[in-house]
Amino acid sequence: MKLPFSRRTAVAGGVSIVMLLTGGSIAGAASAPESAALAAAPDIPLANVKAHLAQLQSIATANGGNRAHGRAGYKASLDYVKAKLDAAGFTTTVQQFTSSGRTGYNLVADWPGGDADHVVMAGSHLDSVTAGAGINDNGSGSAAVLETALAVSRAGYHPTKHLRFAWWGAEELGLVGSRYYVNNLSSANRARISGYLNFDMIGSPNPGYFVYDDDPTIEKTFKDYFTGLGVSTEIETEGDGRSDHAPFKNAGVPVGGLFSGADYIKTAAQAAKWGGTAGQAFDRCYHSSCDTSANINDTALNRNADAVAYALWTLSS
């Protein structure tokens, strides 16, 4: 998750396209009955998600300790994700842009089939800050979205709507990659995206369970899932406008997502209902060198990864 504008350096430089993605398509907020979605949505194996995080950690370690925009660690991260998706039968597209004098990349993966006029899209930013490996921010979201995409392939899922997944570059510089993607969609292709789901920091070590309240149908889908677990949620406010849902929302696309907290402090009331430590940040390693593979709460990561799958199955059926 990027810093608020007042706490980050403004991004210089324009963007130039190497490969223009054809846009989104999604329609309709109609969802299958909750019982059917619960039966259909797979359990996302925590071990698989953590294996992706281990790979991202190894990539950072081998490339100066980070996976930041314009650095070798970012491109290696993108290549890792792309190879998994290509092998699973997705149609992948790499979109190139320039920011702060460095080349950045978005990765978009389409699952064949489904109504191309009604696209359900899930995304996360793949870049870290230069200070560290970015395993919670945002390896956690990236790994969960990747494993959910692979679960689609394993299940041979044939949803009514078209499924699209994305991993954004240069989010930490001001949502550069996702904004570039949205700005280069035609108005018709933007209109085809019926929902964009964003996952940025979902394994915080002192976690909360926060749900975006931007679109009522998407919000209810996530809340229904957590209600089924007996886990209470709160409305997400810390990251408003600070992650990759913002360009989609600004373009009129319905958005939603999950978040487990960054540098805000967990209150006593939150600790009472979620566990963890009151008076401490949700993620004390936010944007720091200690955001490594040790900086993950397995329970939060597991619950949120399963919620990704539940929402996608519900909203695309």
Side-chain angles (χ1 to χ4, degrees):
M1 176 176 290
K2 75 177 182 71
L3 290 167
F5 185 81
S6 62
R7 294 169 58 196
R8 62 182 171 84
T9 303
V11 179
V15 291
S16 62
I17 188 166
V18 160
M19 191 180 296
L20 179 61
L21 296 180
T22 57
S25 67
I26 293 191
S31 62
E34 183 179 346
S35 59
L38 278 168
D43 179 78
I44 300 301
L46 175 63
N48 292 9
V49 180
K50 294 201 74 176
H52 299 315
L53 293 181
Q55 289 296 317
L56 295 177
Q57 177 67 66
S58 295
I59 287 168
T61 301
N63 290 280
N66 68 70
R67 302 179 302 98
H69 165 71
R71 311 296 178 94
Y74 179 78
K75 185 58 164 57
S77 299
L78 183 137
D79 291 344
Y80 169 77
V81 175
K82 184 177 187 298
K84 292 287 186 182
L85 296 163
D86 288 341
F90 284 82
T91 300
T92 59
T93 307
V94 175
Q95 185 180 45
Q96 183 172 317
F97 58 89
T98 301
S99 182
S100 297
R102 294 176 179 266
T103 301
Y105 305 92
N106 294 325
L107 173 64
V108 177
D110 285 271
W111 181 240
D115 183 352
D117 285 329
H118 300 88
V119 177
V120 174
M121 191 170 183
S124 58
H125 76 86
L126 188 57
D127 63 314
S128 73
V129 293
T130 57
I135 298 304
N136 186 38
D137 184 16
N138 183 38
S140 61
S142 293
V145 171
L146 172 58
E147 190 56 31
T148 301
L150 298 180
V152 167
S153 175
R154 288 193 297 268
Y157 182 41
H158 297 292
T160 301
K161 300 183 178 72
H162 181 75
L163 283 178
R164 178 172 298 148
F165 299 85
W167 291 263
W168 308 116
E171 187 268 0
E172 297 291 4
L173 298 185
L175 319 180
V176 178
S178 56
R179 182 177 293 113
Y180 185 64
Y181 175 82
V182 172
N183 287 348
N184 281 281
L185 293 173
S186 68
S187 58
N189 281 330
R190 282 197 296 271
R192 292 186 178 108
I193 303 177
S194 49
Y196 171 73
L197 312 181
N198 194 61
F199 304 98
D200 187 354
M201 301 181 66
I202 60 171
S204 302
N206 188 30
Y209 293 91
F210 299 99
V211 175
Y212 296 13
D213 66 344
D214 299 280
D215 177 79
T217 299
I218 298 173
E219 178 187 359
K220 182 179 185 300
T221 301
F222 285 121
K223 285 184 171 180
D224 285 348
Y225 178 78
F226 283 103
T227 296
L229 295 182
V231 175
S232 60
T233 60
E234 292 184 9
I235 297 303
E236 197 285 307
T237 58
E238 182 177 1
D240 268 1
R242 289 172 53 189
S243 193
D244 293 299
H245 60 292
F248 288 88
K249 181 179 179 179
N250 292 340
V253 175
V255 301
L258 300 174
F259 178 58
S260 56
D263 56 356
Y264 279 22
I265 303 300
K266 179 176 278 188
T267 66
Q270 289 169 330
K273 66 182 175 183
W274 290 328
T277 306
Q280 191 177 101
F282 294 103
D283 183 356
R284 290 187 294 175
C285 291
Y286 176 62
H287 283 187
S288 301
S289 60
C290 59
D291 188 8
T292 65
S293 54
N295 190 47
I296 291 288
N297 180 282
D298 284 359
T299 299
L301 183 64
N302 190 35
R303 287 170 170 172
N304 284 316
D306 287 341
V308 175
Y310 174 79
L312 281 176
W313 256 255
T314 301
L315 295 168
S316 67
S317 59

